[in-house]
Every structure is written in C-alpha cells, then in structure tokens.
Amino acid sequence: MKKNVGNLDRILRIVVGLALLLGFFLSPGASLRWLYLIGIIPLVTGLMSSCPLYSIFGINTCKK
C-alpha cells in the first residue's frame, strides 16, 4: 500500500488508537466495552502510514 498519512496525522492516529485500547483494558465492567476495540483501526493505519479511506477519497497528508 502507498503511504498517504503524514507525520502529524500518523502520531494522532497512534495516540488515539492506544488511548482507546487502554480504555478497553481499564474498563472491564463497561456494557459497551467492545466499542473500544475500534482503536485497532487508527493504530494499525498509523503504524502502516497508509489509510484505505484516504486512498478511496484521494486524500494524502504526506509531504511530497
């Protein structure tokens, strides 16, 4: 996959992803706890520097 996620965008995705996953592990009694697993998506796209939705819509936040 082609890189289309810039540095600031990448850092924000990783931080948000980790925060959501941390919420999953810190709230074992929450009724909708599984929603925190959505954090996997920004974490993976941040680590890979590639976002499939950005490719579909033609967005690129990388500096050329």
Side-chain angles (χ1 to χ4, degrees):
M1 295 187 88
K2 188 175 180 182
K3 290 186 178 186
N4 59 4
V5 176
N7 287 336
L8 179 62
D9 193 7
R10 183 174 180 238
I11 291 169
L12 287 174
R13 287 170 184 263
I14 292 171
V15 168
V16 168
L18 288 174
L20 286 170
L21 290 176
L22 184 64
F24 175 78
F25 291 109
L26 293 179
S27 59
S31 60
L32 296 175
R33 179 178 171 221
W34 59 271
L35 284 174
Y36 285 117
L37 293 176
I38 292 173
I40 293 171
I41 296 168
L43 181 63
V44 169
T45 58
L47 291 173
M48 291 176 35
S49 297
S50 180
C51 178
L53 283 178
Y54 276 13
S55 297
I56 292 171
F57 292 115
I59 300 171
N60 188 349
T61 59
C62 283
K63 292 183 180 179
K64 301 243 175 189

